[in-house]
Amino acid sequence: MASEFIWPVRVYYEDTDAGGVVYYANYLRFMERARTEWLRALGFDNSSLAAGSRVVFAVRHVELDYLRPARFNQALEVSVASCETGRASLTLEQEVRGPDAKPCCRGRVRLACVDSQRFRPAPIPPDLMRKLLDVE
């Protein structure tokens, strides 16, 4: 597995349910933000990929394990690590960790690279593929 990218996230009131814990669907939002910043750290951003290379990444499949609750106002870390790279797909492993570095949620996300106009599978752009393979 590739080296891990870490993105900090703070739990805001809007992220929690009536019990003061992170609402389960918001872990997906935290992971999405971390993936966006991971891509940016590699030198790419979603807007430029859509405009220049005419591709976007769409979530194809997600598996999540909820391990323990994160709570209001906690500083969390969200990790991203590439574990499989295909011609037109990418599988990432992600974790949301609490302030004690123990995982609250683990996920495996499969992304499809698709043509931004036709929404049909498209190859991952060569310059991005080189970066992905260089990091792995």
Side-chain angles (χ1 to χ4, degrees), residues 87-88 112-115 118-123:
R87 183 176 168 273
C113 185
V114 297
D115 181 289
R118 300 178 303 122
F119 288 94
R120 303 286 301 155

Side-chain angles (χ1 to χ4, degrees), residues 28-90:
L28 289 168
R29 294 172 62 158
F30 298 159
M31 289 177 174
E32 177 74 29
R33 291 178 201 161
R35 287 194 306 275
T36 298
E37 296 304 328
W38 166 75
L39 198 58
R40 192 182 318 275
L42 290 175
F44 302 87
D45 68 77
N46 291 315
S47 299
S48 297
L49 286 171
S53 299
R54 292 188 46 186
V55 297
V56 294
F57 286 98
V59 173
R60 171 88 168 81
H61 182 81
V62 168
E63 293 177 28
L64 291 179
D65 286 319
Y66 299 99
L67 305 169
R68 64 193 191 111
R71 300 183 186 282
F72 171 67
N73 209 31
Q74 285 184 324
L76 309 176
E77 290 186 340
V78 185
S79 67
V80 181
S82 176
C83 61
E84 291 176 29
T85 304
R87 183 176 168 273
S89 68
L90 182 59

Side-chain angles (χ1 to χ4, degrees), residues 76-130:
L76 309 176
E77 290 186 340
V78 185
S79 67
V80 181
S82 176
C83 61
E84 291 176 29
T85 304
R87 183 176 168 273
S89 68
L90 182 59
T91 303
L92 304 171
E93 291 185 352
Q94 293 192 259
E95 276 189 352
V96 178
R97 299 182 189 121
D100 58 1
K102 292 182 182 175
C104 297
C105 180
R106 274 195 191 114
R108 189 173 175 97
V109 182
R110 185 173 176 94
L111 302 172
C113 185
V114 297
D115 181 289
S116 62
Q117 305 300 309
R118 300 178 303 122
F119 288 94
R120 303 286 301 155
I124 295 172
D127 49 346
L128 176 55
M129 183 64 88
R130 280 191 294 279

